[in-house]
Amino acid sequence: IWDMQTGQPIGEPMPAHTGEIHGWTFSPDGKTLATASFDGSVRLWDAVQGSPLLEPLLAHDGRVLSVALSPDGKTLASGGTDNLIYLWDTATGALAAPPLDGHGNWVRALSYSDDGKRLFSADADGHILVWSADAQQILRGHEDRVRGVGFSPEGRFLITSSFDGDIVLWDAETGTDAGRIDNAHDSSIIQIAISPDGVIASADAAGAVKLWDLKTLEPLHAPLFGGDSVVIGLAFSPDGDTLASGDFNGIVRLWDVSTGQQVGEPLSAHKGWALSLAFSPDGAVLASGGTEGDIRLWQMPATDAGGTELKPLDEPLSGHSNWVTGLAFSPDGATLVSTSSDRSIRFWDTSTLLSAGVANARPCLL
């Protein structure tokens, strides 16, 4: 730090980084200095005292080449040799958003517009990208990990649940708090699902499933207990009449939404956790994914004929080498999409479910 009038250094040099410092910037009020280094870190400094404000900010995989502070000083942008831009909350040092991924080469320069609404980034390929800095919004209303996220049927509300036991409704247009269920569960809420007619299902680490009226935020029934295992998978049938749940023991259960009663006997569906669930658009098939990497397809019981039990459709679909974390049917039911911890997405041909009859269907990997 130098005295601009005398040209003399103020105090001792600051031991800032273990590698070359490649980028730096001051906050608009001149009180904060941000630095970027080849050591892979970003640091924030009290520009008056020369002391660090936070621990080193670490996220980049490789050298950090550029930094920029927003005009209000609340957000720090950093770019590096991993081709990514990270946004940091300058008050806490936490990441303010997922990384901005759009460059094909090193991010060498960053700059905010005067109004703070746009962020400009330049890379080693000669490309300049313009990012809408006000297009993202941070919603703060939980005190612990947020694991459940979903939208109300008409898209008016974003609904979130957390390990803090709360369920929060957000206005999907403004991002404001539109209602909440404090202490909805006594233990961590692991998953939520929203039915087409506006029922919220929430499941917790103690094995309880609760159903809530979206309009009143009041419970529809007493908690649904099928066991004492953590419930991690939830899915509503397309008509909203049935809820499927999956737990850490690999058990899948069906629940009657109107009565809160279990339908049929528990089904031992997977050797590991019954992690992901999805109904086909016609409600005739339930897909379940497990931590062993398999996907199972089940024929839903014909309730009009007095049926209550899920029936397996042929052999498990094998292809993933790790947990099946997500399942979704295409709108026509002809394709099942699965995501996995093995970092792959697979597409399964389920058109035979519609053409050949459920009992003889055998889906194929596309």
Side-chain angles (χ1 to χ4, degrees):
I1 300 178
W2 303 84
D3 186 310
M4 292 293 289
Q5 294 183 340
T6 66
Q8 297 300 310
I10 300 173
E12 297 297 320
M14 297 157 51
H17 293 275
T18 58
E20 293 183 36
I21 299 173
H22 194 271
W24 60 91
T25 187
F26 280 97
S27 61
D29 61 9
K31 295 180 179 180
T32 303
L33 173 68
T35 56
S37 171
F38 280 13
D39 63 13
S41 73
V42 179
R43 300 205 64 168
L44 285 170
W45 306 88
D46 184 318
V48 178
Q49 302 295 329
S51 57
L53 293 174
L54 299 168
E55 293 297 315
L57 308 181
L58 302 172
H60 285 283
D61 182 13
R63 301 173 178 179
V64 188
L65 305 178
S66 52
V67 283
L69 280 161
S70 61
D72 61 8
K74 294 181 178 180
T75 304
L76 171 67
S78 62
T81 57
D82 54 7
N83 308 344
L84 298 176
I85 300 167
Y86 283 94
L87 302 177
W88 308 85
D89 184 322
T90 57
T92 65
L95 287 171
L100 306 181
D101 186 358
H103 285 285
N105 210 323
W106 299 358
V107 182
R108 288 191 169 276
L110 292 167
S111 181
Y112 276 95
S113 61
D114 290 341
D115 58 9
K117 294 184 177 180
R118 290 172 294 170
L119 174 66
F120 298 86
S121 57
D123 65 27
D125 282 334
H127 296 151
I128 298 174
L129 297 184
V130 183
W131 308 85
S132 179
D134 60 353
Q136 60 184 2
Q137 188 173 3
I138 309 300
L139 307 182
R140 304 188 187 279
H142 289 290
E143 296 179 356
D144 206 333
R145 183 182 308 176
V146 177
R147 197 185 184 282
V149 178
F151 281 96
S152 60
E154 76 288 354
R156 179 183 175 188
F157 299 111
L158 171 69
I159 304 169
T160 60
S161 65
S162 166
F163 280 17
D164 61 15
D166 297 343
I167 297 173
V168 180
L169 273 65
W170 309 87
D171 186 298
E173 183 175 350
T174 65
T176 56
D177 190 327
R180 59 190 303 128
I181 308 172
D182 291 321
N183 302 313
H185 288 258
D186 294 331
S187 57
S188 300
I189 302 177
I190 306 299
Q191 189 62 278
I192 61 170
I194 299 95
S195 77
D197 50 2
V199 175
I200 304 171
S202 55
D204 69 24
V209 177
K210 296 186 179 183
L211 298 175
W212 310 86
D213 186 306
L214 177 60
K215 294 181 180 178
T216 66
L217 300 184
E218 295 294 328
L220 296 179
H221 312 289
L224 316 181
F225 280 99
D228 57 2
S229 179
V230 176
V231 177
I232 194 169
L234 287 176
F236 278 101
S237 60
D239 59 11
D241 292 342
T242 303
L243 174 70
S245 66
D247 65 24
F248 272 20
N249 290 330
I251 304 298
V252 172
R253 291 179 170 86
L254 297 180
W255 305 89
D256 185 309
V257 174
S258 63
T259 65
Q261 298 299 308
Q262 185 170 315
V263 179
E265 295 297 318
L267 175 69
S268 182
H270 293 276
K271 297 177 182 177
W273 303 351
L275 184 61
S276 50
L277 298 167
F279 281 93
S280 62
D282 61 4
V285 176
L286 174 67
S288 64
T291 51
E292 80 280 19
D294 287 344
I295 301 168
R296 302 294 303 268
L297 296 178
W298 310 92
Q299 182 178 355
M300 286 290 291
T303 54
D304 55 351
T308 60
E309 305 301 327
L310 288 165
K311 297 180 181 179
L313 298 177
D314 221 320
E315 297 300 316
L317 309 181
S318 299
H320 287 295
S321 60
N322 212 318
W323 299 4
V324 180
T325 55
L327 291 170
F329 279 93
S330 60
D332 62 3
T335 304
L336 175 66
V337 184
S338 59
T339 60
S340 170
S341 295
D342 64 14
R343 299 188 295 179
S344 72
I345 301 172
R346 290 178 178 261
F347 297 81
W348 308 84
D349 182 355
T350 51
S351 58
T352 50
L353 296 176
L354 304 177
S355 61
V358 171
N360 299 318
R362 182 177 178 82
C364 304
L365 175 64
L366 292 179

